[in-house]
Amino acid sequence: MTSIGALAFDEFGRPFLILKEKQKRLTGLDALKAHIVASRAIATTLQTSLGPKGLDKMMVSSDGDVTITNDGATILKMMDIENEIAKLMVQLSQSQDDEIGDGTTGVVVLAGALLEQAEMLLNRGLHPVRITEGFEMAAKYAMDHLAKISDSFPVSKDNPERLIETAMTTLGSKIINRCLRQFAEIAVNAVLSVADFDRRDVDFELIKVEGKQGGRLEDSVLVKGVVVDKNFSHPQMPKQVKDAKIAILTCPFEPPKPKTKHKLDVKNVEDYRALRKYEQEKFEEMVRMVKDAGANLVICQWGFDDEANHLLLQRELPAVRWVGGPEIELIAIATGGRIVPRFEELTQEKLGKAGIVRELTFGTTKERMLVIEECPDTRAVTVFIRGGNKMIVEEAKRSLHDALCVVRNLVRDNRIVYGGGAAEISCSLAVAEQANRVPTIEQYALRAFSAALDSIPTALAENSGFSAIDVVTNLKARQKAENNHWLGIDCLNQGTNDMKVQNVIETLTSKKQQISLATQLVKMILKIDDIRKPEQSI
C-alpha cells in the first residue's frame, strides 16, 4: 500500500509524484505466527529429502550452474531466501554441518516440527516463555535418554568393520549409494590414516579430496599420498620418477629483478647479448643449485619460461610448475620435505622423499594428473573421485565429506544410537512419559516436543512410500511393549525393523547436536514478537 506524499516538478517543469511507503507493524501473536510460517516453509521443502529414499533437489545458480543434491546444508545455502527468520534455518543447518558434518536435513525438519507444535500451543493460549521452558526441559530429558540407550564399540585400526557400517548408514541416502561399501571403506581408511588415537582427534587438513570427471564412480580410489591436478612442465620429461628427491620451491625460476623502480636501456647488439648471457647464467646457476642439493624432481609454486623449461629438460631435471599453496604444504607434509623460499637455502636435508611420482592420463582427452606415493609420512592421504559428469563428482565429494565427519566423530566419541527413526521414537516415548510427572503447565510443551520428535520417523516412512501414521504408531507400540529401543523404519525393505540387525548406525554426538540446536533456534524464534516491514512485502 502506498500514499501520496507530495507533488513535485523536475527541471523541465514536468510534475511527478513522490510516493511515501507505508509501514505495517506486526506484534505479539501475529508476529510469532509469521515467523513460524516462514520457518516451516523451509522445513517442508527439506522434508522430502530425508532418508535413504529421500528425493534430490535441483538448484540452478544465477550463472546457470546446476547442482543436484539431497544434502540439507547445500540445498539451503543455494536457496535464494529473503526472509530474515527463514535465514536462521539456513544458519541452523550450516552449524550442524560445520560441527558434526551429518544430520543437516534432520535438524531442520525437527526444528520445523517443533515450531508447528509451538503454534498449536500458542493458539491454545500458552505463553511463549512457558513453551520455550518446556521445550528446554524436554530436550534435556531426550538427550539424557539418548545417552542411556546408546551403545559403544571400540574404534581401532585393527577392526574397522563397525566404522564402515556407520559410514554406510551416512552414505545410504546419497546419490553414490550404489558404491556404498567402496566409499564407506575409503572414508574409514582415510580417517584412520590421519587419526591421532592418543589425543582422540583427526586432522582434516591431511585429507585432500580431488575429483576428475569422465570415469565411473567405481574408479574412485584412496591414494596414500598426494594427487596434484598438474603435469610435468615439458612433454618430453619422464612420466615417472622413482625414489624421488623433491625440491619444494616457492621461488620462481627466473633472474632476480631489482625491488625498486629501474630503467634498462639496450642500445646495441652487445648490450642485448650481455643481458641474454646474464639470464642464461642465472638459469644455469639455479639448475646447478638444485642438482647439487641432490634433487631429481622440482615442484615449484610459481611458473618458469620456456628457456628455463628447456634447460631443465637438458639437465634431466623433471619439474612441475604452478602448484598451489595448499598442495605445496600437503606435499611437504607427506614427503617430509621443507618448503624453500630461496635457491641459496636449498640443501639435501630439506628435500622431500617419495617412492614414486607418476603421471596419470585419462580418456581420449589425455587429461593429466600427478600422483606422489610411498611417502615417509603416510598420514597425508588423497581421495581421488571419478564420475560421469561434474554434478556427480561434486555430489560424491559432499557425500564423502559427511562420511568422513561421521567417522571423525566416532574417533572422538565412540557412542552410537540406531537410525531409521528408532532413537527419535524412543526419545518421544521417554519425553511423553516424563510429561505425565510434570505438574506445571510445561507438561503441554513436553507432550508437544514428544510429538515433534515423531516428525523424523514420519518423514522417513512417507519418503519410503509407507502409510506413515500406521507405521509410526505400530513402532511406538512395539518399542513400548518389547522395551526395544532399536526398532525403526525399514526404509530399505530388509524385512526387519530392528536397526541393530540392519546395521543402521548414527553417532550419539550428531543426534544430541540436532536436538540441542533445533531447541535453541525455536527458543530464539519464539522470543521475537515484533516485526516492522513495508506493507507490500508482508
Side-chain angles (χ1 to χ4, degrees):
M1 296 289 292
T2 54
S3 60
I4 296 175
L7 182 67
F9 298 89
D10 63 12
E11 62 269 27
F12 300 107
R14 293 177 298 202
F16 64 91
L17 295 172
I18 298 175
L19 302 178
K20 184 179 179 183
E21 199 170 45
K22 188 177 179 182
Q23 297 280 328
K24 183 177 179 181
R25 183 173 178 178
L26 286 179
T27 57
L29 199 58
D30 291 336
L32 289 170
K33 286 184 177 179
H35 300 329
I36 291 169
V37 167
S39 304
R40 281 183 58 198
I42 300 294
T44 305
T45 304
L46 282 195
Q47 193 162 326
T48 53
S49 296
L50 190 67
K53 296 292 181 72
L55 303 178
D56 293 345
K57 300 285 184 287
M58 182 171 75
M59 281 80 64
V60 183
S61 71
S62 54
D63 299 329
D65 292 334
V66 177
T67 302
I68 298 175
T69 182
N70 68 351
D71 180 63
T74 307
I75 293 169
L76 292 181
K77 198 188 301 180
M78 299 191 71
M79 285 174 67
D80 189 13
I81 297 171
E82 293 185 3
N83 187 286
E84 299 304 323
I85 300 299
K87 285 179 182 176
L88 292 176
M89 298 290 272
V90 179
Q91 294 169 12
L92 171 72
S93 184
Q94 198 61 51
S95 298
Q96 179 77 11
D97 193 39
D98 293 342
E99 188 68 22
I100 303 297
D102 187 33
T104 52
T105 306
V107 70
V108 175
V109 172
L110 179 58
L114 286 171
L115 287 168
E116 183 180 358
Q117 294 295 325
E119 186 176 19
M120 294 180 190
L121 294 176
L122 288 170
N123 290 336
R124 294 176 66 179
L126 265 74
H127 194 277
V129 173
R130 305 304 293 271
I131 296 172
T132 56
E133 286 174 355
F135 279 178
E136 283 188 323
M137 195 185 301
K140 184 177 181 305
Y141 290 138
M143 287 190 281
D144 290 345
H145 182 71
L146 281 173
K148 289 176 188 173
I149 66 171
S150 64
D151 272 357
S152 64
F153 63 93
V155 176
S156 69
K157 291 186 177 181
D158 304 325
N159 184 22
E161 187 59 33
R162 296 298 299 277
L163 288 173
I164 292 170
E165 290 169 359
T166 314
M168 286 171 68
T169 303
T170 306
L171 296 170
S173 62
K174 307 297 181 184
I175 203 170
I176 61 171
N177 60 5
R178 66 187 179 88
C179 304
L180 193 59
R181 175 85 191 187
Q182 179 187 353
F183 271 83
E185 288 178 356
I186 287 174
V188 170
N189 292 332
V191 171
L192 292 181
S193 297
V194 304
D196 186 338
F197 285 97
D198 295 331
R199 294 191 298 118
R200 299 187 72 83
D201 195 19
V202 176
D203 186 0
F204 268 12
E205 294 293 324
L206 298 174
I207 302 175
K208 185 165 176 267
V209 181
E210 278 284 348
K212 179 73 77 173
Q213 66 190 67
R216 301 178 305 150
L217 276 172
E218 288 85 348
D219 298 331
S220 302
V221 292
L222 175 67
V223 178
K224 295 293 182 71
V226 184
V227 177
V228 186
D229 194 4
K230 300 290 175 186
N231 54 357
F232 288 112
S233 59
H234 198 287
Q236 294 179 10
M237 286 177 178
K239 305 303 178 193
Q240 186 169 296
V241 180
K242 291 186 177 179
D243 297 322
K245 296 176 178 61
I246 307 169
I248 306 168
L249 305 174
T250 55
C251 46
F253 262 97
E254 60 181 33
K257 295 182 176 67
K259 298 301 178 187
T260 57
K261 289 184 179 180
H262 63 283
K263 181 182 179 185
L264 179 65
D265 293 327
V266 179
K267 296 181 179 177
N268 49 46
V269 176
E270 285 74 20
D271 289 348
Y272 176 76
R273 285 176 179 162
L275 177 62
R276 189 173 180 280
K277 185 180 179 184
Y278 166 76
E279 287 186 350
Q280 201 165 7
E281 287 173 353
K282 277 294 178 186
F283 284 138
E284 292 269 7
E285 184 185 351
M286 291 172 186
V287 175
R288 190 181 68 251
M289 287 179 183
V290 175
K291 294 283 281 187
D292 290 347
N296 59 1
L297 175 63
V298 176
I299 291 181
C300 186
Q301 186 175 8
W302 304 103
F304 35 84
D305 61 16
D306 291 340
E307 188 173 356
N309 202 14
H310 181 68
L311 193 61
L312 288 165
L313 177 66
Q314 282 185 328
R315 298 294 186 272
E316 296 180 351
L317 189 60
V320 185
R321 55 185 167 185
W322 299 119
V323 180
E327 286 87 356
I328 283 273
E329 290 178 9
L330 203 60
I331 291 168
I333 292 169
T335 61
R338 296 281 297 277
I339 298 173
V340 179
R342 297 170 68 235
F343 285 97
E344 292 80 2
E345 297 178 17
L346 187 62
T347 61
Q348 190 170 357
E349 293 75 27
K350 295 181 180 179
L351 298 178
K353 295 177 178 61
I356 186 169
V357 178
R358 57 194 174 93
E359 194 174 83
L360 299 177
T361 56
F362 306 105
T364 56
T365 56
K366 300 294 182 187
E367 289 190 75
R368 296 177 177 87
M369 295 184 85
L370 278 182
V371 181
I372 303 170
E373 293 178 297
E374 299 174 20
C375 305
D377 188 353
T378 55
R379 294 193 313 125
V381 298
T382 304
V383 180
F384 184 45
I385 294 175
R386 303 301 309 278
N389 55 34
K390 185 180 177 183
M391 285 184 293
I392 295 288
V393 172
E394 292 301 318
E395 178 64 2
K397 283 184 180 180
R398 284 188 289 268
S399 305
L400 193 73
H401 171 73
D402 287 358
L404 289 170
C405 289
V406 166
V407 180
R408 185 267 317 268
N409 295 337
L410 282 171
V411 171
R412 290 179 172 174
D413 183 354
N414 65 344
R415 291 178 296 171
I416 57 164
V417 291
Y418 293 94
E424 283 85 355
I425 291 173
S426 183
C427 287
S428 173
L429 291 170
V431 172
E433 187 180 337
Q434 193 66 38
N436 297 329
R437 301 174 191 162
V438 175
T440 58
I441 201 170
E442 279 83 1
Q443 62 178 282
Y444 292 101
L446 264 71
R447 291 196 182 95
F449 195 97
S450 171
L453 285 169
D454 290 340
S455 64
I456 301 289
T458 301
L460 288 172
E462 284 177 354
N463 294 344
S464 302
F466 301 141
S467 173
I469 295 176
D470 290 346
V471 171
V472 175
T473 307
N474 180 40
L475 283 173
K476 289 183 81 169
R478 284 181 59 192
Q479 276 208 20
K480 198 167 187 178
E482 300 172 23
N483 196 26
N484 184 352
H485 306 292
W486 305 332
L487 297 175
I489 309 294
D490 182 16
C491 299
L492 300 175
N493 294 315
Q494 298 287 325
T496 176
N497 292 107
D498 195 322
M499 295 296 110
K500 189 171 185 178
V501 174
Q502 287 198 30
N503 288 319
V504 180
I505 304 167
E506 296 183 57
T507 62
L508 176 66
T509 313
S510 171
K511 198 59 70 180
K512 289 175 77 171
Q513 185 82 355
Q514 284 184 42
I515 293 174
S516 176
L517 289 179
T519 308
Q520 287 176 37
L521 180 77
V522 171
K523 179 181 177 182
M524 181 189 297
I525 291 174
L526 290 179
K527 288 196 171 183
I528 305 170
D529 73 338
D530 195 345
I531 304 177
R532 185 179 294 179
K533 277 189 173 183
E535 195 173 70
Q536 299 96 307
S537 62
I538 291 179

